[in-house]
């Protein structure tokens, strides 16, 4: 079992080098004891995956640089997303010197995607690396990964870990009230009950980095556009036995229909353990991925900006219908039974809103927004941490040849270069997330036809599976290639409709099929081109 659970590039077992700092609070400065007169070179707001990785990158090996990290709570967070990291995200951590961050937290290697649709199943593995070995991602308990990243920060003597709330940015504004220069941040007590306590203003010599995540309170200072709520993910946890066979880890380099079909007696009911499992026949997509060898996260998507009421029982009714359709008992009896039991026994259903926020240029001097504080994509494709960590990699490499505290002119040049270099990968992951979600949550016949075409396209294997896998994993940051494959899929839909070979949109006369086929092509353009255009904005 240990051999199956070990990956040569980023091990998931063994001792983490900063493990002694995992739950330690001796390095955490409480707000009441904070000396606001200290001098800092940089301030990082937020100690999630991106903020912690950035602080580590800024401070590591640069003894003369002092970094302040402001975080409301340094205790282990508990979230239902940010639990699967794509191979490109793992590569980013490796380049930051954090490749062993998955050690000791029960992380599970992820080898690709099992996708089920209308009774058919395919396996789309991750791409192979330069050495020919298939690359892997990892899935885990979000809070454990964050605590390992924070442990790396705590171990750096030139990082001050402050438990406080960033309350507002400080700086100069124009006549409309928009910041032109950010000079620092005002911090206060971390708990609302202490709001009347005195606040402290911190003015770093260099940059204030805003990394406070998907619910960023400072995003509107950069981007005042309204937030688009696309859907909600509802989370459950399944308890099960570990994997007992290596068959789930083997497979060809393309897609295949040979996947596991566990029966009631199976100890591990997942269709393909150690992979992302995507079930497309529910009310919205249903995702399953392991948090550990004995636990699996279930995320069921409920389309629309409004979530059904939990109090009235409507939410559970919709979830029951979605799970029953996505995981029918006739195909997955063991998994179906566990899902229904988990839904019935859950004391509350944890839900999170799924948003889409395109990035805009960081043109405010003195500050830089990174990760989800800058832009957000639908979590369906699990690319958020990958985008954020590559933000950190590209920024830290751009700063490598600069002085400890670049002046304003140098920082403008660095930001412009950074925004140019981050855009291809971020665009591919962001656009793909919203485009796939539009197809996978299809409400019209045209979108259902495109979803069917997408499944058939992937089932061809070869580059038809490997390139999309590269987009999902963040390993192929090529927007033009993404658009090419998307429209290739759309032309598959055109063929299926005209030839009357579609199960999602059958029937009608030849003339109407031709008309509806090209109308479907138009719908495909409306799915992908608007988010591409938004991502291309300066």
């Amino acid at each position: 079992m240990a051999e199956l659970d070990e990956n040569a590039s980023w091990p998931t077992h063994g001792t983490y080098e900063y493990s002694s700092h995992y739950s330690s609070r001796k390095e955490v400065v409480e707000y009441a004891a904070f000396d606001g007169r200290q001098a800092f070179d940089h301030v990082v707001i937020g100690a999630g995956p991106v903020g912690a990785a950035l602080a580590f990158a800024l401070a590591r090996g640069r003894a003369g640089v002092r970094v302040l990290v402001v975080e409301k709570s340094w205790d282990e967070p508990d979230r239902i997303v940010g639990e699967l990291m794509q191979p490109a995200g793992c590569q980013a951590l490796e380049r930051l010197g954090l490749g062993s961050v998955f050690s000791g937290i029960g992380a599970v290697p992820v080898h690709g995607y099992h996708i089920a649709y209308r009774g058919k199943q395919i396996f789309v593995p991750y791409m192979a690396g330069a050495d020919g070995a298939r690359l892997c991602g990892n899935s885990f308990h979000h809070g454990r990964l964050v605590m390992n990243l924070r442990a790396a920060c705590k171990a750096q003597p030139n990082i001050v870990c402050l438990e406080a709330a960033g309350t507002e940015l400080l700086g100069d504004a124009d006549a409309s009230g928009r910041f032109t220069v950010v000079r620092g941040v005002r911090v206060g007590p971390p708990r609302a009950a202490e709001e009347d306590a005195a606040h402290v203003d911190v003015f770093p010599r260099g940059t204030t980095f805003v990394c406070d995540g998907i619910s960023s309170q400072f995003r509107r200072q950069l981007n005042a556009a309204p937030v688009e709520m696309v859907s909600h993910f509802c989370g459950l946890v399944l308890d099960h036995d570990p994997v007992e066979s290596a068959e789930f880890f083997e497979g060809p380099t393309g897609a295949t229909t040979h996947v596991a079909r566990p029966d009631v007696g199976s100890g591990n009911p997942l269709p393909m353990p150690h992979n992302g499992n995507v079930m497309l026949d529910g009310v919205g997509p249903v995702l399953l991925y392991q948090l550990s060898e004995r636990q699996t996260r279930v995320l069921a998507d409920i389309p629309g900006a409004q979530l059904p009421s939990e109090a009235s029982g409507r939410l559970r009714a919709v979830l029951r219908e979605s799970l029953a359709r996505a995981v029918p008992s006739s195909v997955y009896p063991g998994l179906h039974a566990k899902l229904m039991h988990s839904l019935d026994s859950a004391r509350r259903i944890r839900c999170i809103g799924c948003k889409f926020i395109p990035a805009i240029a960081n043109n405010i001097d003195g500050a830089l927004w990174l990760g989800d504080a800058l832009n957000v994509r639908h979590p369906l494709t699990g690319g958020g941490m990958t985008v954020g960590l590559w933000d950190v990699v590209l920024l830290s490499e751009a700063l490598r040849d600069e002085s400890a505290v670049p002046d304003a002119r140098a920082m403008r040049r660095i930001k412009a270069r950074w925004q140019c270099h981050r855009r291809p990968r971020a665009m591919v992951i962001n656009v793909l997330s919203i485009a796939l979600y539009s197809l996978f949550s299809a409400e019209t016949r045209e979108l259902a036809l495109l979803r069917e075409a997408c499944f058939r396209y992937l089932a061809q294997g070869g580059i038809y599976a490997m390139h999309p896998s590269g987009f999902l994993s963040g390993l192929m940051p090529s927007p033009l290639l993404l658009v090419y494959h998307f429209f290739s899929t759309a032309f598959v839909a055109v063929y299926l409709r005209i030839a009357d070979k579609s199960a999602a949109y059958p029937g009608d006369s030849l003339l109407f099929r031709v008309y509806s086929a090209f109308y479907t092509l138009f719908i495909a353009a409306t799915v992908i081109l608007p988010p591409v255009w938004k991502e291309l904005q300066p």
Side-chain angles (χ1 to χ4, degrees):
M1 191 59 218
E3 292 180 359
L4 296 177
D5 220 22
E6 193 77 16
N7 181 277
S9 299
W10 13 90
T12 59
H13 288 286
T15 302
Y16 181 50
E17 58 187 309
Y18 304 115
S19 60
S20 61
H21 300 276
Y22 181 93
S23 57
S24 170
R25 287 191 58 89
K26 67 180 182 180
E27 303 89 353
V28 177
V29 178
E30 295 188 2
Y31 176 73
F34 178 59
D35 181 3
R37 295 169 296 179
Q38 297 179 67
F40 296 99
D41 296 298
H42 302 291
V43 173
V44 177
I45 303 173
V50 174
L54 175 62
F56 178 83
L58 291 172
R60 186 191 188 206
R62 306 176 78 180
V65 175
R66 282 177 53 80
V67 180
L68 173 67
V69 184
V70 181
E71 170 60 45
K72 281 186 178 180
S73 173
W74 287 81
D75 295 331
E76 186 172 317
D78 182 15
R79 295 184 62 195
I80 64 169
V81 291
E83 298 168 323
L84 187 149
M85 188 173 293
Q86 302 290 356
C90 299
Q91 288 181 333
L93 286 172
E94 188 76 12
R95 285 175 67 162
L96 292 169
L98 292 166
S100 61
V101 74
F102 302 106
S103 300
I105 61 172
V108 174
V110 177
H111 300 274
Y113 292 93
H114 157 267
I115 307 172
Y117 175 65
R118 290 181 175 265
K120 298 180 180 179
Q121 306 168 70
I122 56 174
F123 173 53
V124 181
Y126 287 135
M127 300 175 68
D131 59 356
R134 186 186 304 163
L135 298 173
C136 289
N138 281 288
S139 55
F140 40 78
H141 285 273
H142 172 83
R144 296 177 187 174
L145 179 78
V146 170
M147 292 301 281
N148 260 4
L149 287 167
R150 290 178 179 177
C153 289
K154 294 175 187 176
Q156 307 308 308
N158 52 339
I159 294 180
V160 174
C161 302
L162 174 63
E163 189 167 72
T167 60
E168 64 178 296
L169 297 178
L170 304 171
D172 304 334
D174 58 21
S176 65
R178 179 178 172 81
F179 272 114
T180 55
V181 179
V182 170
R183 303 195 182 278
V185 61
R186 178 166 293 162
V187 298
R191 286 164 285 278
E194 302 171 346
E195 284 183 351
D196 293 336
H199 288 64
V200 175
D201 296 343
V202 180
F203 298 100
R205 294 173 55 226
T207 304
T208 298
F209 296 98
V210 181
C211 308
D212 55 344
I214 192 170
S215 300
S216 172
Q217 70 180 96
F218 300 122
R219 185 188 295 115
R220 289 187 63 83
Q221 306 292 339
L222 176 72
N223 184 358
V227 174
E228 178 184 352
M229 186 70 71
V230 180
S231 67
H232 288 80
F233 262 144
C234 301
L236 302 169
V237 173
L238 299 183
D239 296 311
H240 52 70
D241 293 337
V243 178
E244 298 177 354
S245 170
E247 68 179 293
F248 303 111
F249 307 93
E250 299 169 353
T253 57
T256 177
T257 56
H258 180 70
V259 295
R261 297 181 65 173
D263 57 25
V264 176
S266 173
N268 188 313
L270 299 179
M272 287 197 78
H274 286 225
N275 288 277
N277 296 270
V278 185
M279 326 300 281
L280 298 180
D281 294 313
V283 173
V286 175
L287 310 182
L288 301 99
Y289 51 84
Q290 291 177 253
L291 302 176
S292 67
E293 285 294 353
R294 294 181 178 273
Q295 286 191 314
T296 287
R297 168 68 69 200
V298 181
L299 290 177
D301 183 82
I302 306 296
Q306 294 296 323
L307 191 66
S309 169
E310 163 76 354
S312 68
R314 177 61 182 159
L315 177 60
R316 290 186 187 244
V318 172
L319 284 175
R320 180 175 294 277
E321 175 192 357
S322 184
L323 294 173
R325 281 167 43 182
V327 186
S329 59
S330 58
V331 181
Y332 309 100
L335 179 57
H336 179 91
K338 281 190 175 291
L339 284 171
M340 294 302 118
H341 173 74
S342 181
L343 179 61
D344 291 338
S345 61
R347 303 176 96 181
R348 69 184 179 98
I349 306 297
R350 299 185 60 188
C351 302
I352 185 169
C354 303
K355 309 170 184 177
F356 178 66
I357 306 172
I360 67 171
N362 274 259
N363 291 329
I364 301 175
D365 287 343
L368 184 61
W369 281 253
L370 296 91
D372 284 351
L374 174 61
N375 71 283
V376 179
R377 77 289 313 146
H378 197 285
L380 172 67
T381 54
M385 287 184 292
T386 298
V387 172
L389 290 170
W390 273 99
D391 282 353
V392 174
V393 169
L394 296 173
L395 179 62
S396 62
E397 292 180 352
L399 289 169
R400 184 172 298 159
D401 298 328
E402 301 288 338
S403 62
V405 183
D407 60 29
R409 173 179 286 184
M411 200 63 198
R412 288 189 206 108
R413 185 182 66 250
I414 290 167
K415 288 201 287 187
R417 189 165 66 246
W418 171 77
Q419 286 170 178
C420 180
H421 289 167
R422 77 174 294 276
R423 177 168 285 172
R425 192 186 314 269
M427 179 184 291
V428 166
I429 293 175
N430 296 345
V431 170
L432 185 65
S433 75
I434 200 68
L436 282 184
Y437 180 74
S438 297
L439 268 56
F440 290 173
S441 61
E443 296 180 356
T444 68
R445 291 180 297 179
E446 292 79 17
L447 288 172
L449 174 60
L450 287 166
R451 175 169 60 182
E452 181 183 18
C454 180
F455 188 84
R456 292 202 184 198
Y457 193 80
L458 293 171
Q460 295 177 88
I463 65 169
Y464 307 107
M466 287 297 93
H467 285 183
S469 171
F471 303 143
L472 285 166
S473 60
L475 296 168
M476 290 187 67
S478 173
L480 285 177
L481 198 56
L482 170 64
V483 172
Y484 166 78
H485 279 285
F486 189 87
F487 278 104
S488 296
T489 301
F491 278 107
V492 171
V494 169
Y495 164 74
L496 292 174
R497 180 61 179 141
I498 293 177
D500 198 18
K501 294 185 177 181
S502 169
Y505 194 175
D508 299 316
S509 67
L510 175 60
L511 182 61
F512 186 77
R513 291 203 306 273
V514 171
Y515 163 77
S516 57
F518 284 96
Y519 179 67
T520 299
L521 189 61
F522 168 76
I523 293 298
T526 66
V527 166
I528 196 167
L529 294 183
V532 167
W533 176 251
K534 290 179 180 178
E535 290 287 333
L536 286 172
Q537 299 308 298

